[in-house]
Amino acid sequence: MLGGGILHGLAVTAKNFVGSFTDPERLVTLGYPEERAPAKENARQFPFLVFDGADPQAGLRCVACQICEKECPPQCILIVKSKTKKPDHLGKPQFFPATFDIDLSVCMSCQICVEVCPFDAIKMDQEFELATNDRFEGLLRHRDQLARPNAHFQKLHPTDAAAIDARRAEELAKAAAAATAAAAAPRKPAPESPPAA
Amino acid sequence: MNPAAAPRTFEVRPSPDAADPVHDGSLLEVSLGPQHPSTHGVFRMDVVLDGETVVKLKPVFGYLHRNHEKIAENTSYLGSMPYTDRLDYFCSLTSNWAYALTVERLAGLQVPERAEYLRVITAELTRLQNHAAVCGFLLQDMGALGTPLMYAFRERERILDLFESLTGARMMCNYMRFGGCRCDTPPGWLEQARSVVTGFGAFLDEFEALLSSNEILLGRTQGIGILPRELAINAGISGPMARASGVAYDIRKVDRYGIYDQFEFRVPLGDHGDVFDRYMIRALEMRESLRILGAALQRIPAGPVIDPKAKLRGFRPKPGESYGRIESPKGELGFYLISDGGPNPWRYRIRPPSFINLTILEDLCLGRSVADAVVILGSVDIVLGEVDR
């Protein structure tokens, strides 16, 4: 019958139309911004810098090794290494970034900085409402704007954060054990200077 | 006063354009695009019309040129991976795979079995969402405004949710690495994928009931834009377009890259090579992808997802060259790399399927009306990110 196919199709449309009122499974849209989809643990938007403890300056994990700056495909990171050093979580003196800028208008959210960072210092944030009136300074994030506490990272990526925290605690325990062992062991006698002839 | 000055004579000559029918007014030249919604992006068609009939058509590309190949020659091998997402932004995972496959051949890396399964699963999910979206857009071009496209996007959204929970991004996945995949599946992901695959079969039934027997659709697509088999082969057409013309050429079967030799699936072929065949081939391919996905999600083994020898930083393959190709949803996607042993490729070349499929657009459109040309372009399935690179 000519037109049978059209009627058949219209029946499908009608079924969907009525179904979306009766079956909550068929209601696939969300009323943003009042309603929001639950965040996914792996989701990524833009990078942030992790710091331990309460002070974003003292606890910053970044040691300004500049690996992420070199590996970043669109080159959106600018790091200036400090002249002085500060102790890291193991008490070892390390450099820190005097400047750490990320240009969000250039960043393409590829996560390569996170993958190459050997210090777990840079991670991906899930904040996506970044609209600003100032497209130059407003989208250029500086070190202190990028710094977020470790608790923020634990909230966004619990699985990753748990693994990293466990590893860092282990490193710390090992370093503490080595320090106590070194303190307990008798100090190695200094090499004797050759007797004066 | 200029001493060389002399009186000049002028003769009235006929305009050099007088012989050109475009300029004598019998034909009309229309620039369709580059911002026309039917051109699927910034693509322009220079169309010469005799009334409503197309007598000449020149595709004009390059509005989205981003210098991808040259940028890739100046960045590290790893640094090009996120750029491959932006080639065909509907199917970033297959672009990732083609590039990773080529670099793995260049560097001699082995891919663990679980990673191969993950690649097949993500690539077939990509094919599902690409074909669903293409069918929706094709029907939208024919005037079925909204309904089929929204149904297709509803299903596509479920697959993009899977991509987001696996890779972190809906479209720019950046998931594959040389020698495997970036991360393993989050807990519960495989079950979620199984339920999406099950639901997709029901969607295909609904989608075909909605339109595949619709008389208007048949009238608008059957016998339109016929691509003869010989022309398809001579012009190097690949993917669903070639198969709709009856060319039995599917790289999953021809090359058997990855672990496609372990899966049972059929390659649908068309007889007529018209727009309807190209539409139906995609619908049938989605069903075959569902078979592959069902088997892969059932058989996926445990294990590592990346070759332990693979290095992320300081990756320098030994000098040499390699060509890797896969069956992307749009056709044969190939990468050609030459390494001189340095940290970045010496030459990096892409064979994009939709660019080469687009070259025969004039042959398909000649003698048809403008409305048909729009439908034919929709059935070619182009993504301008890949055409212009």
Side-chain angles (χ1 to χ4, degrees):
Chain A
M1 182 189 90
L2 186 67
I6 294 176
L7 292 176
H8 201 61
L10 283 174
V12 175
T13 319
K15 207 175 111 204
N16 273 281
F17 179 69
V18 177
S20 64
F21 280 103
T22 55
D23 185 2
E25 278 288 298
R26 284 181 173 269
L27 272 179
V28 288
T29 49
L30 281 175
Y32 178 85
E34 288 82 18
E35 289 175 78
R36 279 154 198 260
K40 300 191 175 55
E41 191 182 332
N42 277 344
R44 56 174 200 257
Q45 288 298 330
F46 289 105
F48 68 93
L49 296 173
V50 185
F51 67 84
D52 294 311
D55 184 7
Q57 286 278 354
L60 205 63
R61 288 184 186 173
C62 178
V63 301
C65 66
Q66 294 176 311
I67 289 174
C68 55
E69 189 185 26
K70 283 195 201 84
E71 293 287 332
C72 174
Q75 301 280 302
C76 70
I77 304 178
L78 173 78
I79 301 176
V80 177
K81 197 185 265 198
S82 63
K83 296 273 189 293
T84 55
K85 291 188 175 184
K86 73 170 179 59
D88 67 354
H89 69 299
L90 303 178
K92 238 165 57 181
Q94 297 274 19
F95 289 108
F96 60 93
T99 306
F100 196 116
D101 292 349
I102 296 182
D103 192 341
L104 296 193
S105 59
V106 175
C107 174
M108 60 177 181
S109 314
C110 66
Q111 210 180 0
I112 280 181
C113 52
V114 176
E115 284 170 63
V116 296
C117 181
F119 300 95
D120 301 310
I122 188 165
K123 293 290 167 192
M124 292 311 264
D125 210 337
Q126 292 174 352
E127 185 195 353
F128 57 90
E129 287 152 323
L130 299 155
T132 164
N133 288 329
D134 179 5
R135 67 185 166 127
F136 299 109
E137 197 52 40
L139 287 172
L140 183 68
R141 293 286 167 96
H142 302 294
R143 183 190 65 186
D144 297 338
Q145 295 162 288
L146 289 166
R148 294 270 189 288
N150 194 23
H152 182 69
F153 175 46
Q154 285 162 341
K155 199 177 105 216
L156 294 184
H157 308 279
T159 321
D160 280 1
I164 288 167
D165 287 346
R167 202 175 65 234
R168 285 172 74 88
E170 199 180 304
E171 279 172 16
L172 191 62
K174 213 180 270 175
T180 43
R187 186 173 280 274
K188 220 172 165 187
E192 283 173 29
S193 49
Chain B
M1 176 108 190
N2 183 357
R8 285 181 183 169
T9 57
F10 292 91
E11 60 174 316
V12 180
R13 287 179 300 234
S15 151
D17 291 336
D20 185 348
V22 173
H23 290 88
D24 74 6
S26 66
L27 296 183
L28 179 69
E29 187 175 5
V30 178
S31 175
L32 204 62
Q35 280 109 12
H36 195 272
S38 75
T39 56
H40 297 245
V42 278
F43 169 64
R44 189 159 74 90
M45 295 187 277
D46 254 345
V47 195
V48 178
L49 298 173
D50 180 4
E52 177 81 6
T53 314
V54 176
V55 294
K56 201 173 152 214
L57 188 147
K58 200 176 95 189
V60 185
F61 339 103
Y63 293 95
L64 203 60
H65 181 63
R66 308 180 300 287
N67 215 350
H68 172 58
E69 292 178 2
K70 199 69 198 170
I71 288 174
E73 286 164 17
N74 290 305
T75 185
S76 65
Y77 282 88
L78 174 65
S80 302
M81 186 59 91
Y83 288 120
T84 62
D85 291 336
R86 281 128 180 109
L87 278 176
D88 179 351
Y89 40 78
F90 264 69
C91 328
S92 63
L93 284 157
T94 48
S95 310
N96 280 183
W97 192 0
Y99 179 52
L101 186 79
T102 315
V103 177
E104 279 151 15
R105 282 193 189 155
L106 194 63
L109 292 169
Q110 297 299 318
V111 182
E113 204 183 357
R114 186 177 173 85
E116 291 278 23
Y117 269 91
L118 281 174
R119 286 180 176 191
V120 168
I121 290 168
T122 50
E124 293 307 320
L125 284 172
T126 303
R127 195 179 318 277
L128 286 182
Q129 56 97 353
N130 177 70
H131 283 359
V134 166
C135 290
F137 277 122
L138 176 62
L139 294 161
Q140 167 119 333
D141 285 344
M142 269 179 257
L145 286 176
T147 310
L149 183 66
M150 286 302 125
Y151 289 4
F153 265 49
R154 187 185 63 201
E155 290 312 304
R156 180 169 177 264
E157 204 62 27
R158 297 190 214 281
I159 295 176
L160 294 188
D161 279 347
L162 281 180
F163 288 169
E164 192 183 4
S165 54
L166 176 64
T167 71
R170 284 153 39 87
M171 287 172 81
M172 304 297 134
C173 296
N174 186 19
Y175 180 56
M176 315 244 172
R177 290 288 174 268
F178 316 132
C181 297
R182 197 183 70 216
C183 55
D184 206 341
T185 53
W189 190 84
L190 291 171
E191 287 73 41
Q192 212 184 335
R194 274 183 209 116
S195 80
V196 168
V197 167
T198 317
F200 205 91
F203 157 72
L204 279 181
D205 294 338
E206 184 187 87
F207 200 72
E208 290 195 10
L210 177 67
L211 281 159
S212 292
S213 58
N214 186 312
E215 286 79 3
I216 302 172
L217 175 86
L218 303 186
R220 284 297 304 277
T221 55
Q222 289 189 342
I224 310 289
I226 294 175
L227 172 64
R229 191 168 183 272
E230 295 73 28
L231 180 63
I233 295 171
N234 286 339
I237 308 301
S238 54
M241 266 196 96
R243 291 195 285 275
S245 300
V247 184
Y249 185 67
D250 186 323
I251 298 165
R252 291 176 292 175
K253 289 279 189 197
V254 176
D255 266 17
R256 298 181 168 265
Y257 60 94
I259 48 162
Y260 273 113
D261 50 348
Q262 298 177 18
F263 295 102
E264 203 178 303
F265 63 99
R266 295 170 299 175
V267 178
L269 292 178
D271 281 336
H272 306 90
D274 55 4
V275 173
F276 185 74
D277 273 13
R278 292 199 274 278
Y279 164 73
M280 278 312 286
I281 288 287
R282 292 194 174 102
L284 294 171
E285 269 187 22
M286 284 194 263
R287 296 204 183 268
E288 296 305 314
S289 289
L290 287 178
R291 279 177 72 185
I292 300 176
L293 276 169
L297 286 167
Q298 203 178 8
R299 297 210 302 253
I300 182 167
V305 294
I306 193 152
D307 185 353
K309 275 190 297 185
K311 276 203 310 190
L312 208 55
R313 285 173 49 223
F315 180 76
R316 286 165 184 262
K318 53 190 179 306
E321 57 185 284
S322 70
Y323 181 71
R325 57 177 190 169
I326 68 162
E327 180 73 27
S328 98
K330 298 187 166 52
E332 174 182 342
L333 173 63
F335 278 76
Y336 177 59
L337 293 174
I338 300 180
S339 164
D340 59 355
N344 35 353
W346 186 81
R347 180 78 178 100
Y348 175 105
R349 159 87 189 141
I350 302 163
R351 183 232 188 261
S354 46
F355 172 61
I356 292 171
N357 289 356
L358 199 51
T359 52
I360 41 116
L361 189 64
E362 183 173 20
D363 302 85
L364 302 185
C365 293
L366 285 187
R368 311 297 326 186
S369 67
V370 179
D372 285 344
V374 168
V375 173
I376 291 166
L377 178 68
S379 76
V380 175
D381 184 11
I382 55 167
V383 156
L384 267 293
E386 187 178 64
V387 172
D388 293 340
R389 305 189 296 297

